[in-house]
Amino acid sequence: MSSVSAWFNGLWTDITLWFDGFSDDFYTVFIKKDRYEQMLTGLENTLIITLGALLIGVVIGIVVAAIRSSYDKNKESLKQHGGIGCFILSFLNFICKIYLTVIRGTPVVVQLMIAYFLIFVSVKDGVPVGIFAFGINSGAYVAEIFRGGIMSVDNGQFEAGRSLGFNYVQTMWYIVIPQTFKAVLPTLCNEFIALLKETSVAGYVGVMELTKAGNSIAGVTYNYFLPLLTVAAVYLVIVMILSWLVSRLERRLRVSER
Amino acid sequence: MSDNNILIEVKNLCKYYNGDKIKALDGVDIDIRSGEVVVIIGPSGSGKSTFLRSLNLLELPTSGHIIFDGVDICDKKVNINLHRQKMGMVFQHFNLFPHKTVLDNMTIAPIKLLKTPKDKAVEEAMELLERVGLADRAENYPSQLSGGQKQRVAIVRALCMKPEVMLFDEPTSALDPEMVGEVLDVMKNLASEGMTMVVVTHEMGFAREVGSRVVFMDGGKIIEQGTPSDIFDNPQSPRLKEFLSKVL
């Protein structure tokens, strides 16, 4: 009997020791010198860059997808009609293709550093540059996601709209685009998750975002365990909230499929 | 019949693909008069669907003229959207808008294009649904309907725009056999009310019974046309004879 209770006592001591150590670590990593504030600043910057880039990305994505799919859908009729409209659309389509090729063909870190060290040399704050670079980058992926969504809608839908007398833009607006949302949503959510996590490289241009904050605390306190796991947990929670929101939205959009 | 009855006048309509290697339409001339039911038959690849789809320029002709209501709609300056409002079209695969209810499918075009007040558009749509026996389906989504019901909705959706002519592109080809009848009945009623119709179909019974004129196309050309009894009982050209021997 006594040996069992001794074993339990020993275990208890171990546990309390570990907790003491943990609370010491916790104190050094988060409380001492108000280091948690660094984490909060990091989280704030990560969220600002992500949301800003998201906004820019969606706007660019819509514009580029609109140009690319209008070109594809109207190619034939434009060739026959010719004129300035054909030239402008072909030119815009060409520009968009170059944009997509360059942006998707190079790493986002490199783009970020080019933006910070070569283009916006005079801007000392990395956050707006980060928003810009990640926005431009995300726009390329969002554009292709939207274009894929538009292409996935059966051409008969487009023809039905046109046959009723809707013009090209009205047909897109009332009939094709509402149908793309459902198809596009999961992939778009993927892109947003990827974007959130990609902002972790903003530290390369001196932005104190979440990962950088964790890393710098770890560097100062020589404790990697707590800061890095905390950073990972924060990303995880944000992604989980985002996925939950999107799945709710999907359920609402699925009404017409009963 | 006098010439001022002519609703659509097609002159030398051609549609070439790949430069001029494939001739989907090779010089089609036809007049379609008000109140006529023109049924177009022919083997697959004969250009009948291409012809029908070029009547409202869903297919852009390479050359030729389509004069609808006195206006050459092949003219590049013409706003084709306004003319399409007066030409209803029914597709083989229905092409109902899956994200809208039956009622919204029918009212969106009158509300947005004709600026019909919503309650009036709904009232007119419900009347039409009543006539095809689908009033109880108004709030359903297309995915909840059978094929025959979908096609009947597609027909009344086109009618909501009060078109001057209705174009039917193989309206029963994608239907289960037992649903063909209900769609043909709607079309028969429409014809008896004096609607001008151009119908591409493989339903020879319908062509014979409802058609005021039957047009036989092959190789992008009109080979023979005439009353149903001319075409079916007394065919002249060898190609039509061969075609009829296969389908009848």
Side-chain angles (χ1 to χ4, degrees):
Chain A
M1 280 302 274
S2 68
S3 68
V4 174
S5 79
W7 185 78
F8 265 111
N9 277 335
L11 184 66
W12 183 245
T13 321
D14 282 352
I15 292 173
T16 36
L17 272 178
W18 188 83
F19 265 103
D20 282 349
F22 180 82
S23 70
D24 282 352
D25 285 352
F26 189 87
Y27 175 77
T28 348
V29 168
F30 293 113
I31 314 290
K32 199 177 171 189
K33 292 188 181 167
D34 287 336
R35 290 198 177 112
Y36 70 94
E37 280 183 358
Q38 262 188 73
M39 279 284 191
L40 287 181
T41 317
L43 176 62
E44 190 190 347
N45 281 337
T46 292
L47 290 178
I48 290 175
I49 294 177
T50 306
L51 289 178
L54 194 79
L55 218 65
I56 297 179
V58 167
V59 171
I60 293 179
I62 289 172
V63 172
V64 172
I67 293 171
R68 297 261 289 129
S69 53
S70 306
Y71 177 78
D72 285 344
K73 277 217 192 294
N74 296 320
K75 225 182 320 186
E76 198 198 354
S77 89
L78 281 170
K79 252 180 217 156
Q80 247 177 54
H81 279 62
I84 187 82
C86 174
F87 175 75
I88 292 174
L89 197 54
S90 310
F91 181 71
L92 289 176
N93 183 57
F94 180 68
I95 299 278
C96 290
K97 269 185 163 170
I98 291 181
Y99 163 71
L100 293 174
T101 311
V102 170
I103 293 297
R104 293 195 300 167
T106 52
V108 66
V109 194
V110 178
Q111 292 164 16
L112 180 69
M113 291 198 288
I114 289 175
Y116 187 73
F117 294 116
L118 300 182
I119 303 174
F120 298 107
V121 185
S122 57
V123 182
K124 292 287 170 278
D125 186 359
V127 174
V129 178
I131 292 176
F132 171 82
F134 286 110
I136 299 275
N137 180 272
S138 184
Y141 294 94
V142 174
E144 288 297 276
I145 292 171
F146 281 155
R147 195 172 69 91
I150 291 171
M151 306 272 280
S152 75
V153 174
D154 179 37
N155 199 41
Q157 292 291 314
F158 182 78
E159 290 186 342
R162 295 306 301 267
S163 80
L164 286 168
F166 287 114
N167 63 31
Y168 177 80
V169 175
Q170 289 170 323
T171 307
M172 279 295 166
W173 187 249
Y174 293 128
I175 291 152
V176 177
I177 289 176
Q179 295 184 49
T180 64
F181 278 127
K182 244 187 334 201
V184 151
L185 210 52
T187 341
L188 208 54
C189 176
N190 250 356
E191 166 57 23
F192 294 164
I193 290 174
L195 173 63
L196 170 76
K197 294 184 296 184
E198 269 174 2
T199 60
S200 61
V201 300
Y204 273 83
V205 296
V207 178
M208 179 57 72
E209 42 69 52
L210 191 53
T211 307
K212 174 87 170 180
N215 200 23
S216 78
I217 293 176
V220 175
T221 60
Y222 300 111
N223 182 338
Y224 282 85
F225 181 81
L226 259 186
L228 292 188
L229 284 195
T230 309
V231 166
V234 172
Y235 280 117
L236 184 65
V237 168
I238 302 174
V239 169
M240 282 168 69
I241 293 174
L242 193 64
S243 322
W244 177 74
L245 285 176
V246 170
S247 71
R248 276 195 56 169
L249 193 58
E250 270 182 69
R251 230 171 300 150
R252 278 191 54 190
L253 287 174
R254 220 176 285 149
V255 182
S256 61
E257 270 176 16
R258 274 170 304 185
Chain B
M1 271 192 216
S2 70
D3 274 2
N4 47 18
N5 258 342
I6 292 176
L7 186 62
I8 306 176
E9 188 180 355
V10 180
K11 282 188 204 159
N12 197 24
L13 199 66
C14 297
K15 171 77 184 179
Y16 301 152
Y17 292 106
N18 279 350
D20 55 359
K21 284 194 198 79
I22 301 165
K23 297 181 174 179
L25 292 177
D26 193 9
V28 174
D29 290 279
I30 190 172
D31 295 340
I32 293 160
R33 297 184 175 81
S34 280
E36 244 189 336
V37 178
V38 176
V39 181
I40 303 170
I41 59 172
S44 66
S46 60
K48 51 193 194 311
S49 269
T50 309
F51 169 68
L52 190 82
R53 289 161 53 81
S54 42
L55 285 181
N56 64 356
L57 299 200
L58 279 187
E59 213 71 69
L60 275 182
T62 312
S63 66
H65 301 280
I66 299 164
I67 291 136
F68 174 58
D69 267 348
V71 179
D72 184 356
I73 57 174
C74 291
D75 189 333
K76 282 161 193 163
K77 290 180 203 100
V78 167
N79 180 359
I80 184 61
N81 299 312
L82 293 176
H83 294 277
R84 281 190 182 134
Q85 293 177 13
K86 294 183 272 179
M87 302 171 127
M89 186 155 200
V90 176
F91 300 86
Q92 182 177 0
H93 296 288
F94 330 125
N95 297 348
L96 294 178
F97 307 136
H99 61 303
K100 292 187 177 297
T101 62
V102 166
L103 199 59
D104 288 340
N105 260 278
M106 296 174 68
T107 53
I108 180 170
I111 291 174
K112 303 287 183 199
L113 294 173
L114 304 179
K115 308 289 175 210
T116 314
K118 187 167 185 231
D119 43 344
K120 187 157 180 280
V122 169
E123 192 185 306
E124 288 172 356
M126 287 308 295
E127 248 168 61
L128 283 166
L129 278 178
E130 201 86 50
R131 269 169 52 189
V132 296
L134 290 172
D136 55 329
R137 295 302 209 152
E139 294 304 327
N140 285 137
Y141 285 94
S143 61
Q144 298 164 308
L145 305 180
S146 72
Q149 291 172 329
K150 282 182 196 167
Q151 195 62 300
R152 281 186 279 162
V153 171
I155 293 172
V156 285
R157 175 177 72 180
L159 289 176
C160 277
M161 289 296 284
K162 303 192 178 67
E164 292 170 23
V165 56
M166 287 283 284
L167 312 175
F168 292 85
D169 189 6
E170 305 199 20
T172 58
S173 299
L175 294 176
D176 289 341
E178 77 267 25
M179 291 170 183
V180 170
E182 62 191 69
V183 171
L184 290 183
D185 282 343
V186 172
M187 291 168 65
K188 264 180 229 170
N189 285 336
L190 204 55
S192 67
E193 285 159 19
M195 173 60 78
T196 313
M197 293 162 60
V198 184
V199 187
V200 169
T201 188
H202 296 292
E203 297 291 328
M204 296 303 153
F206 176 84
R208 186 192 280 270
E209 189 186 340
V210 184
S212 45
R213 182 155 45 123
V214 178
V215 174
F216 173 68
M217 284 185 74
D218 194 16
K221 288 183 168 116
I222 293 178
I223 304 294
E224 200 169 330
Q225 54 177 313
T227 63
S229 59
D230 286 344
I231 294 291
F232 290 111
D233 303 329
N234 191 19
Q236 302 297 316
S237 69
R239 270 143 101 187
L240 175 55
K241 283 179 191 162
E242 190 199 338
F243 174 72
L244 290 176
S245 73
K246 282 179 187 157
V247 297
L248 288 182

